[in-house]
Amino acid sequence: MEFSTYSFSTKKVLLRVDFNVPIDKVTFEILDDKRIKAALPTINHIINHNGIPILLSHFGRPKNGPENQFSLIHIVKRLEELIQKPIIFCKNVEEAERRCKDVCPGEVMLLENVRFYPEETQGDLAFAERLASLGDCYVNDAFGSAHRAHASTTQIARHFPTDKMMGFLMAEELACANKILQNPQKPFTAIVGGAKVSDKVLIIENLLNIASDIIIGGGMAYTFVYAQGGSVGSSLLEKDKVDVALSILHKAKEKGVNIHLPQDSIAASSFLEHAETTIVPTHSIPYNWMGLDIGPESIARFCEVVSKSKTILWNGPMGVFEWERFELGTKSLAVALAEATEKGSFTLVGGGDSASAIAKFKLSHRVSHVSTGGGALLELFEGKELPGIKALT
Ligand code: AMP
């Protein structure tokens, strides 16, 4: 079903959103409400078309049932401000079952964290059926959870053979990803960074089929440099991934994809914010020193590649960007992406850390799209089908 043309009038709409926002552990203050704001167009569309949103979301990773720190009660006030309506907050499914009997258009319900029920992550069919019985139709707008086969993201959809659809956010996220996956304007450069090669092997392997250039930075670059015979000191290194790194380099050569590794690094004497630093060639980092950011030559080279690209995907920082002294590589690439976007390139930033990095540098509004999905976006670019999306077909 098509969300924008569906008739919501007087219907109870089970709307799975992703309200998994970061909060202060002591004051429970919301630190970044981007995910709540991202769901607003869908929520407001349902309200404006006389439907009754019944919001379902997870929040954090509770282990043993209800826990105050993972309660969605902490987001109610902000949500009420944003939609300018009171929220009917239901502490559990029983309360939701009771109260949803007499909700009317104009009202909005929010169910407590679905992960307070272990059945949610188990993808339990009976639990999904219980949730489904609360509504007349199902809308999934939780792109950030679309890679999970959980009760409220996937199994629930079975109970709505026809009246199920994706919301505006999910549709936009998919359209942006597909723009790259299906027909990227060339040259297409993928920037992959972050801590671990092991997390990014599948995405790099898949990107080898569509990218013209792949820039590899961050801690994961050192395993590639080591694999080529370099000395990387005490930089992050996954020795058990050396063969994988060599195989990626080999396949890239066969497929004519240019792999760009950092020629130089900012090395630190220890993993500390104020450690002594020096600029060194990445393939000869002294014993006991560790690369924590890419160096000036790498920045210049990587930014040049970005400036010549028509499509750019960015997943993972170039260094320990959380510390100001090791943020320059990540920041420079963020600026390069913003400039490329201004010149008409399509730029997609995704993955938790890249999204927080670009937000830190206040450049989120200057790229084409910052995805709200971390794992989900990664899995899409690994070439996988997401269960939350498949369930809607
Ligand atoms: P990931 O979650 O795999 O995308 O990794 C993101 C994390 O990698 C961030 O917290 C960065 O601080 C960290 N990181 C990036 N580059 C390095 C590096 N050269 N050494 C250690 N950690 C790094």
Side-chain angles (χ1 to χ4, degrees), residues 169-220:
L169 174 64
M170 181 82 97
E172 189 195 2
E173 292 273 12
L174 270 187
C176 287
N178 283 339
K179 201 164 167 169
I180 298 186
L181 280 166
Q182 290 170 358
N183 191 18
Q185 248 198 306
K186 300 271 179 149
F188 162 37
T189 295
I191 307 166
V192 189
K196 286 187 177 167
V197 177
S198 40
D199 292 344
K200 308 283 164 89
V201 173
L202 295 177
I203 189 172
I204 299 179
E205 298 244 348
N206 200 37
L207 287 169
L208 285 172
N209 299 317
I210 45 175
S212 341
D213 295 78
I214 301 180
I215 291 173
I216 299 178
M220 60 183 286

Side-chain angles (χ1 to χ4, degrees), residues 35-50:
R35 281 187 162 161
I36 304 179
K37 284 186 175 152
L40 291 179
T42 300
I43 299 174
N44 286 331
H45 179 86
I46 296 168
I47 295 173
N48 295 339
H49 289 78
N50 222 26

Side-chain angles (χ1 to χ4, degrees), residues 193-196 199-200 217-220 222 235-236 271 290-293 315-322 353-354:
K196 286 187 177 167
D199 292 344
K200 308 283 164 89
M220 60 183 286
Y222 299 101
S235 306
L236 277 184
F271 191 74
M290 58 185 75
L292 295 187
D293 195 6
N315 180 291
M318 296 291 100
V320 185
F321 73 97
E322 296 92 336
D353 272 313
S354 339

Side-chain angles (χ1 to χ4, degrees), residues 134-150:
L134 298 171
D136 302 310
C137 58
Y138 173 68
V139 178
N140 192 349
D141 215 21
F143 178 69
S145 310
H147 58 314
R148 309 278 188 210
H150 292 172

